[in-house]
């Protein structure tokens, strides 16, 4: 979040001190300056300063840790604020287009930026819709990426991190959160997330203890080793329900994305209140 850059600097310093091999480092950072505009309504500095900083961060991370994803679009904030699946996908596409266009002006080619990009989605309780949301997002992200690449360049894989949502978790009956987290993790796996974060069931009202942390890890282990959800690339493929949902979500999200682009792009739509009004 707002502390992303100090965290990255401290991590690089620790990495240097430990003499670890930077080529072996894989991970990501919740660095997304555009999300600050969407959530707070303003950014510090100008658009040029924002992309100058972002380009510097990506260049530093690319040089130090080639396998590290330093730019993480926070689509999760849209769900937590009450956004629909269509809005989550559309505004994420608009943010990607804004970053690729703005960073290209700063000398960062889209083919360089895309491997350093991650999209973080929150997964809610609408099980079928959440599966279709990830499938539709994957399809449309590739379409947007391809539009920025040179002819003959293949679109690099863009990683999707799915995390269990926070807004729908109970404080007064917290163990029911284990059921919600399980279905959310299942939806993330079936929808094709590259990595999944299952939050502890008691995270909403206290610091998680060893037991709740163990349970959140065991949800993933159960789905992997007992349900074998990691064995098939796209288990929803061919299902009439999921294919229909995916196509309808993709069509509606693409139409909303085009509306945002018509307003001048993500920055313009966030600055003039369009994003806030739509989610509201």
């Amino acid at each position: 979040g707002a502390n992303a850059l100090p965290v990255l600097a401290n991590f690089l310093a620790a990495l240097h001190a430990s003499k670890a091999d930077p080529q072996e480092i894989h991970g990501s950072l919740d660095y997304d300056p555009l999300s600050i505009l969407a959530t707070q309504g303003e950014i510090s500095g100008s658009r040029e300063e924002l992309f100058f900083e972002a380009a510097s961060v990506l260049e530093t991370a690319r040089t130090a840790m080639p396998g590290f994803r330093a730019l993480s679009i926070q689509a999760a904030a849209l769900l937590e604020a009450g956004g629909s699946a269509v809005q989550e996908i559309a505004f994420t596409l608009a943010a990607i287009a804004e970053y690729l266009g703005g960073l290209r002006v700063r000398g960062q080619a889209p083919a360089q930026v895309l491997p350093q990009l991650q999209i973080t989605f929150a997964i809610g309780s609408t099980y079928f819709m959440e599966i279709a949301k990830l499938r539709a997002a994957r399809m449309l992200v590739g379409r947007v990426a391809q539009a920025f690449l040179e002819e003959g360049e293949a679109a690099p894989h863009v990683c999707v991190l799915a995390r269990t949502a926070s807004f729908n978790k109970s404080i007064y009956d917290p163990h029911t959160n284990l059921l919600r987290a399980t279905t959310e993790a299942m939806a993330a796996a079936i929808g094709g997330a590259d990595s999944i974060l299952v939050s502890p069931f008691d995270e909403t009202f206290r610091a998680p203890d060893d037991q709740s942390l163990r349970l959140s890890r065991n949800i993933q282990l159960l789905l992997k080793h007992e349900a074998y959800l990691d064995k098939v690339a796209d288990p929803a493929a061919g299902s009439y329900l999921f294919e229909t949902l995916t196509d309808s979500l993709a069509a509606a999200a693409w139409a909303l994305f085009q509306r945002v682009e018509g307003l001048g792009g993500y920055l313009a739509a966030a600055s003039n209140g369009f994003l806030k009004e739509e989610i509201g």
Side-chain angles (χ1 to χ4, degrees), residues 213-227:
L213 289 168
R214 179 172 176 268
L215 286 171
S216 69
R217 291 193 298 270
N218 280 351
I219 288 172
Q220 298 210 37
L221 294 174
L222 184 149
L223 296 177
K224 181 176 181 178
H225 297 298
E226 296 187 29

Side-chain angles (χ1 to χ4, degrees), residues 17-74:
S18 69
K19 296 182 172 54
D21 182 3
Q23 302 292 324
E24 298 297 322
I25 299 296
H26 296 276
S28 60
L29 180 74
D30 283 347
Y31 172 65
D32 181 10
L34 284 182
S35 71
I36 296 173
L37 175 64
T39 55
Q40 299 180 12
E42 61 181 6
I43 54 174
S44 58
S46 65
R47 181 183 189 276
E48 290 71 25
E49 290 171 328
L50 183 152
F51 286 111
F52 177 80
E53 177 192 274
S56 300
V57 171
L58 291 178
E59 186 67 38
T60 300
R62 188 184 308 124
T63 303
M65 301 173 291
F68 193 79
R69 298 181 296 279
L71 185 61
S72 182
I73 294 177
Q74 298 299 304

Side-chain angles (χ1 to χ4, degrees), residues 166-181:
S166 299
F167 79 96
N168 61 350
K169 300 302 184 286
S170 172
I171 295 175
Y172 299 107
D173 193 6
H175 286 91
T176 60
N177 295 336
L178 292 168
L179 303 176
R180 295 183 180 93

